Amino acid sequence: MPHREMMDYLGDISQIGGMKRYQMLEGKAKGVEAVDVDDGHGLRFTILIDRGMDLGKLVYRDWGFTFQAAAGVTAPQYYNERGEEWLQSFGGGFLTTCGLTQAGDPCVFKGQPYGLHGQVSNLPARLERCESDWQGEDYVMEVAGRVFQTRHQGVQLSVRRSVRTVLLSGRIQIEDRIRNQSSDRSPLMLLYHMNFGYPFLNPDTRMYIPVRHTQGWDEFSEQHMEQQKKMPAPSARAAHYTYLHELRADSEGNTGYLIWNEKDGQYTGVQVRYNQANLPYLGQWMYPKKRDYIMALEPCNNHIKGIAPEEKYGTLRWLEPQEEVTCRLDIRFFSTREEWKKRKAELEAL
């Protein structure tokens, strides 16, 4: 049935799906503005406006996909940028953006300390648009806003983010336009920390990553390269396994990964596509600890060591004054064997 024809059966479109904007009222989440999105076809997720417009809890076809950290949703005023204190306000969720001038380990760069993973996920967005309407036969839901990471006599970076989904599509499209608004060039470190958790993530979860080259992030991971293909069962004495992949891509630089579960012939999972022009690497972090069971797959433009090592490697990305780069994530969920085969074949062909 064409989507518009469905309206003949409905009192209001909210009978199927839509968006709900609200503010949280309790605990450390108090004051955080958010938007819940329901595509009417089993995909439900939260956009956290006051956390850089990152994505919180996500459910698809009754599968919880995301790791939710014990901290939960935390308002930005609790952020502490020193050392590894970023972890105190890390709530997990489907997407935590890291950057914009720092991603990876804490370090000192040009006399200034940089904490774990940077500031951007703890910066409130200036909401510009929260709209849903028909565009042809598609009912489009879009939230857009701007995040500013600025300092007087220092960095002046902005991100214009759009999060878009279409009713009944099982798809999320994220576009970030990152601009250096300063008269000086600025470092740009960017990492999309996509956090998978139980019940979707378990030892039976499978993934396909079109790897061209992989290195262990540290000596321990280098000694356990085989672990990258399978998530271990939870353990009280778990180790961190971290890998940095360079992926195959098509002639235009498009690449991605696939992660899924198969149960009783039913395939449920997600394909994430993006372009390597501004995201040449894919990080993979696995931490199978009891009560902290997580795997993150992380399109990024750096080695996840921090800004100082990145400059030392000669790979630190700089934005010239008024330069703008665009990053897009195309996230497609599926729930049938036929869709799984199609998505996997697309990546195998790279």
Side-chain angles (χ1 to χ4, degrees):
M1 177 186 297
H3 292 177
R4 271 191 181 274
E5 289 186 16
M6 291 188 307
M7 293 303 297
D8 293 343
Y9 294 82
L10 307 177
D12 184 77
I13 195 70
S14 61
Q15 193 170 322
I16 293 180
M19 298 194 297
K20 178 176 69 176
R21 183 178 169 188
Y22 59 96
Q23 195 172 68
M24 299 182 184
L25 298 177
E26 296 182 346
K28 286 190 173 182
K30 187 174 183 178
V32 172
E33 188 174 352
V35 178
D36 283 348
V37 182
D38 183 349
D39 89 330
H41 199 55
L43 175 61
R44 304 188 303 276
F45 61 94
T46 299
I47 304 171
L48 300 169
I49 305 301
D50 287 332
R51 291 298 304 265
M53 287 186 62
D54 280 339
L55 303 191
K57 185 176 181 179
L58 183 148
V59 175
Y60 179 66
R61 297 295 177 92
D62 297 325
W63 283 78
F65 268 61
T66 53
F67 171 75
Q68 301 296 130
V73 176
T74 304
Q77 62 263 32
Y78 295 101
Y79 171 58
N80 184 338
E81 64 181 337
R82 293 177 298 181
E84 295 188 346
E85 296 304 297
W86 180 90
L87 293 169
Q88 289 197 13
S89 56
F90 173 59
F94 189 71
L95 172 63
T96 303
T97 309
C98 303
L100 295 167
T101 57
Q102 159 72 354
D105 279 356
C107 61
V108 175
F109 179 64
K110 295 187 176 181
Q112 181 178 339
Y114 286 76
L116 179 70
H117 282 332
Q119 303 176 24
V120 69
S121 72
N122 287 276
L123 297 175
R126 183 182 298 170
L127 192 63
E128 296 182 336
R129 190 163 64 256
C130 182
E131 298 176 344
S132 53
D133 204 354
W134 290 99
Q135 296 181 16
E137 287 295 327
D138 292 332
Y139 188 77
V140 178
M141 296 170 278
E142 184 176 16
V143 180
R146 296 185 72 182
V147 178
F148 297 88
Q149 182 177 322
T150 61
R151 176 179 176 177
H152 179 56
Q153 301 181 33
V155 167
Q156 295 181 29
L157 294 172
S158 70
V159 183
R160 176 171 270 120
R161 171 167 287 184
S162 166
V163 182
R164 183 179 188 270
T165 191
V166 174
L167 194 74
L168 308 180
S169 68
R171 182 182 185 186
I172 304 170
Q173 294 172 289
I174 299 174
E175 179 182 272
D176 284 346
R177 293 162 52 196
I178 305 159
R179 176 179 285 271
N180 177 13
Q181 300 184 142
S182 170
S183 58
D184 300 314
R185 70 174 191 158
S186 172
L188 174 65
M189 297 189 74
L190 189 62
L191 180 144
Y192 293 97
H193 207 292
M194 307 183 79
N195 309 298
F196 296 95
Y198 185 84
F200 178 73
L201 181 69
N202 60 72
D204 293 325
T205 302
R206 296 293 176 260
M207 67 195 95
Y208 180 78
I209 301 173
V211 170
R212 180 168 57 84
H213 175 74
T214 298
Q215 65 186 64
W217 183 83
D218 55 13
E219 184 177 350
F220 176 83
S221 300
E222 193 71 34
Q223 293 171 353
H224 295 83
M225 295 294 285
E226 76 289 346
Q227 198 60 67
Q228 64 186 281
K229 297 180 180 180
K230 182 176 173 59
M231 186 69 182
S235 169
R237 304 185 67 178
H240 296 266
Y241 302 92
T242 309
Y243 308 96
L244 193 69
H245 304 291
E246 296 177 42
L247 307 188
R248 304 191 307 273
D250 66 17
S251 59
E252 297 180 342
N254 298 309
T255 189
Y257 66 83
L258 189 74
I259 179 169
W260 73 92
N261 272 283
E262 185 272 325
K263 184 177 182 181
D264 300 327
Q266 187 78 14
Y267 287 73
T268 304
V270 62
Q271 180 201 66
V272 177
R273 299 295 302 266
Y274 58 95
N275 192 279
Q276 289 184 333
N278 293 310
L279 299 169
Y281 309 109
L282 177 71
Q284 180 183 2
W285 172 53
M286 308 166 76
Y287 188 46
K289 193 176 191 303
K290 287 184 177 181
R291 303 185 68 83
D292 272 322
Y293 193 74
I294 179 174
M295 179 172 69
L297 292 169
E298 308 162 337
C300 58
N301 75 342
N302 59 85
H303 294 79
I304 326 179
K305 297 280 190 177
I307 185 171
E310 201 69 27
E311 185 194 43
K312 183 178 179 180
Y313 300 152
T315 52
L316 181 60
R317 176 71 162 91
W318 293 86
L319 282 183
E320 297 301 322
Q322 304 308 311
E323 182 181 359
E324 182 176 279
V325 299
T326 300
C327 296
R328 298 183 179 91
L329 299 177
D330 190 358
I331 305 164
R332 297 174 183 245
F333 295 84
F334 57 86
S335 59
T336 68
R337 187 173 187 274
E338 290 71 25
E339 289 177 284
W340 166 77
K341 287 178 66 177
K342 178 183 178 180
R343 302 298 172 205
K344 189 166 185 282
E346 290 173 352
L347 296 178
E348 289 174 332
L350 298 177

